[in-house]
C-alpha cells in the first residue's frame, strides 16, 4: 500500500504542481484515478486543503520508462507533456536535448531526470536554436551533470575528441562518412576542405590503409582537435591537419588529389576554383 493524496479532478493539476514544487511527489508509483478523483503517490503527509491522505495500492513505474514523455510525466505538467521532444542526441557521454520555450521553466528538472536514466550520460545539455558563425558552432548550455562540453565519441572503429562549444561536429553525418569511404579506392590521395575535427578524413583513412588524407580547417580549435584525433587513431603518417583558410592553404600544397571532399552546407560554389 502506498500513501496517496486524494484530490478531485478539478484540483488535479494544482495538486500535481504543489507536490512537484514541495518535492513530495513519490516518483516510483503511477498516479491513479477513479470517477471524479485522482490519487497522487506522495512521500509524506503535509497540511493542505487540496485533498485528503489515505493508503492505496498503486502500480509502480517500470524501472526504465519506455519514452521520454513517460519519463518526464513525473516532472512536467500534463498539459505540456506533448511539447517534450521524443528523442535526444547522445554525443559521446553528453546528451543534447531540445527544450522548447514552453518548457524552459522545467529544463533543469527535465535534465536531472534524463541524467538518471542512463549511466552513459555524464552531462545533459540544451540544444541551441542556431548554429553560429563562420566556424558553424552549435553552443550548448549545460543543464545537469558534469560542467564540461568536451567529450569522446566513437564511430566506425574511430575515436574523436572535441569540444561541442568550440568546434563543429555532427554524429548524424556518420552514414555519409561511411558512404564516401566506400567510394574510395586503394591508395587515393584525398583533400578534405572545411574538415572540422577531421571525422571524414579519419573514417576514410581507417578503412583504407594505403590512402593519404589532407584536412584543411579555419577554426584553430577544430584544427587542434583534428591533429589530436589523427594521433588518437594512430594515423599520423598519412593523415594531416592544416590550420587555415582553404583559399590560402590549397595553393601551398604541392600534391595532386584523386578526390576532393567539401563539407560546407552553403556557399560551396565560392570555393570550387580553389578545389
Ligand atoms: C559544416 S562544418 C563541417 C566540419 C566537418 N567537415 C564535419 O563534417 O564535421 C564546416 C567547417 O568549415 C570550416 N570553415 C569555414 N570556412 C572555412 C575556410 N574558408 N577554410 C577552411 N575551413 C573553413 C568551419 O570552421 C567548420 O568547421
Amino acid at each position: 500500500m502506498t500513501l496517496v493524496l486524494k484530490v478531485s479532478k478539478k484540483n488535479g493539476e494544482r495538486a500535481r504542481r504543489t507536490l512537484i514544487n514541495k518535492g513530495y511527489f513519490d516518483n516510483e508509483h503511477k498516479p491513479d484515478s477513479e470517477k471524479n478523483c485522482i490519487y497522487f503517490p506522495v512521500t509524506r503527509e503535509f497540511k493542505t486543503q487540496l485533498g485528503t491522505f489515505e493508503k492505496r495500492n498503486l502500480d509502480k513505474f517500470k524501472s526504465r520508462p519506455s519514452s521520454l514523455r513517460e519519463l518526464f510525466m513525473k516532472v512536467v505538467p500534463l498539459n505540456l507533456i506533448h511539447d517534450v521532444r521524443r528523442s535526444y542526441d547522445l554525443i559521446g557521454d553528453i546528451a543534447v536535448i531540445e527544450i522548447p520555450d514552453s518548457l524552459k521553466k522545467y529544463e533543469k528538472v527535465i535534465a536531472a531526470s534524463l541524467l538518471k536514466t542512463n549511466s552513459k550520460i555524464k552531462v545533459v545539455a540544451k540544444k541551441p536554436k542556431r548554429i553560429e558563425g563562420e566556424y558553424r558552432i552549435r553552443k550548448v548550455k549545460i543543464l545537469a551533470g558534469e560542467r564540461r562540453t568536451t567529450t569522446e565519441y566513437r564511430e566506425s572503429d574511430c575515436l574523436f575528441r572535441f569540444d561541442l562549444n568550440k568546434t563543429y561536429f555532427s554524429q548524424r553525418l556518420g552514414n555519409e562518412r561511411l558512404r564516401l569511404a566506400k567510394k574510395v579506392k586503394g591508395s587515393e590521395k584525398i583533400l578534405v576542405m572545411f574538415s572540422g575535427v577531421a571525422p571524414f578524413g579519419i573514417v576514410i583513412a581507417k578503412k583504407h590503409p594505403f590512402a593519404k588524407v589532407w584536412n584543411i580547417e579555419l577554426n584553430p580549435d577544430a584544427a587542434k582537435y583534428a591533429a589530436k584525433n589523427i594521433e588518437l587513431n594512430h594515423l599520423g603518417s598519412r593523415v594531416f591537419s592544416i590550420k587555415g583558410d582553404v583559399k590560402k592553404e590549397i595553393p601551398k600544397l604541392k600534391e595532386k588529389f584523386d578526390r576532393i571532399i567539401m563539407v560546407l552546407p552553403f556557399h560551396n560554389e565560392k570555393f570550387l576554383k580553389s578545389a
Side-chain angles (χ1 to χ4, degrees), residues 155-183:
E155 173 189 307
S156 303
D157 295 328
C158 302
L159 176 64
F160 301 107
R161 187 180 295 168
F162 49 87
D163 186 328
L164 256 63
N165 280 3
K166 291 185 180 164
T167 60
Y168 174 95
F169 184 83
S170 170
Q171 85 276 36
R172 292 181 187 197
L173 289 175
N175 285 337
E176 180 63 2
R177 291 189 262 275
L178 273 184
R179 188 185 71 82
L180 289 184
K182 280 185 191 145
K183 287 186 176 289

Side-chain angles (χ1 to χ4, degrees), residues 191 214 216 242 248-255 257:
L191 171 66
W214 284 256
I216 307 182
I242 301 162
K248 291 187 187 146
E249 299 304 322
I250 291 174
K252 294 185 205 163
L253 293 173
K254 298 283 173 268
E255 300 289 341
F257 298 100

Side-chain angles (χ1 to χ4, degrees), residues 17-273:
R17 267 185 223 182
T18 306
L19 292 174
I20 289 171
N21 289 341
K22 285 185 179 289
Y24 297 160
F25 205 104
D26 167 2
N27 283 337
E28 297 199 338
H29 292 90
K30 288 185 182 173
D32 194 8
S33 64
E34 196 183 69
K35 291 184 192 149
N36 288 327
C37 293
I38 303 182
Y39 300 89
F40 287 112
V42 290
T43 52
R44 51 169 289 183
E45 291 191 21
F46 59 97
K47 258 196 177 169
T48 178
Q49 301 195 329
L50 284 167
T52 52
F53 293 96
E54 59 183 70
K55 294 260 177 140
R56 191 176 173 86
N57 263 329
L58 292 184
D59 290 338
K60 274 198 152 194
F61 271 109
K62 281 179 242 146
S63 51
R64 268 182 183 269
S66 58
S67 70
L68 283 188
R69 284 190 181 155
E70 186 181 325
L71 171 69
F72 298 145
M73 260 169 70
K74 300 176 204 165
V75 292
V76 167
L78 273 184
N79 59 327
L80 294 176
I81 201 71
H82 287 282
D83 292 353
V84 167
R85 297 297 180 253
R86 290 181 186 277
S87 64
Y88 60 90
D89 290 331
L90 186 58
I91 308 174
D93 57 5
I94 304 183
V96 180
I97 184 164
E98 192 182 333
I99 299 194
D101 289 343
S102 58
L103 296 177
K104 191 170 181 343
K105 219 168 103 185
Y106 306 94
E107 62 185 26
K108 291 255 161 132
V109 278
I110 287 175
S113 46
L114 182 56
L115 187 68
K116 279 192 225 149
T117 57
N118 184 343
S119 60
K120 285 187 192 149
I121 302 177
K122 300 286 184 246
V123 182
V124 179
K126 181 176 174 178
K127 189 176 189 167
K129 289 191 179 136
R130 280 174 291 278
I131 290 196
E132 282 172 27
E134 203 173 16
Y135 298 163
R136 314 298 299 145
I137 291 173
R138 204 190 288 265
K139 272 202 176 171
V140 299
K141 173 182 162 193
I142 297 177
L143 295 175
E146 295 173 24
R147 319 304 293 173
R148 63 172 158 86
T149 50
T150 50
T151 192
E152 283 190 356
Y153 173 78
R154 284 183 186 279
E155 173 189 307
S156 303
D157 295 328
C158 302
L159 176 64
F160 301 107
R161 187 180 295 168
F162 49 87
D163 186 328
L164 256 63
N165 280 3
K166 291 185 180 164
T167 60
Y168 174 95
F169 184 83
S170 170
Q171 85 276 36
R172 292 181 187 197
L173 289 175
N175 285 337
E176 180 63 2
R177 291 189 262 275
L178 273 184
R179 188 185 71 82
L180 289 184
K182 280 185 191 145
K183 287 186 176 289
V184 171
K185 293 176 200 81
S187 54
E188 284 187 11
K189 286 185 180 174
I190 299 165
L191 171 66
V192 184
M193 297 165 67
F194 319 108
S195 47
V197 300
F200 277 86
I202 288 175
V203 168
I204 290 172
K206 214 41 184 285
K207 299 256 172 257
H208 297 279
F210 299 106
K212 282 189 172 179
V213 187
W214 284 256
N215 297 278
I216 307 182
E217 169 57 47
L218 186 63
N219 173 359
D221 286 310
K224 190 186 83 190
Y225 277 109
K228 185 75 203 165
N229 291 331
I230 290 166
E231 188 190 312
L232 286 173
N233 291 282
H234 312 291
L235 294 168
S237 60
R238 52 193 185 89
V239 180
F240 315 105
S241 168
I242 301 162
K243 173 176 73 86
D245 185 331
V246 289
K247 283 191 175 164
K248 291 187 187 146
E249 299 304 322
I250 291 174
K252 294 185 205 163
L253 293 173
K254 298 283 173 268
E255 300 289 341
K256 283 245 179 285
F257 298 100
D258 300 296
R259 194 178 295 271
I260 296 176
I261 298 172
M262 294 171 82
V263 200
L264 197 66
F266 47 82
H267 302 317
N268 267 319
E269 69 287 351
K270 281 200 311 194
F271 297 93
L272 279 176
K273 208 166 153 222

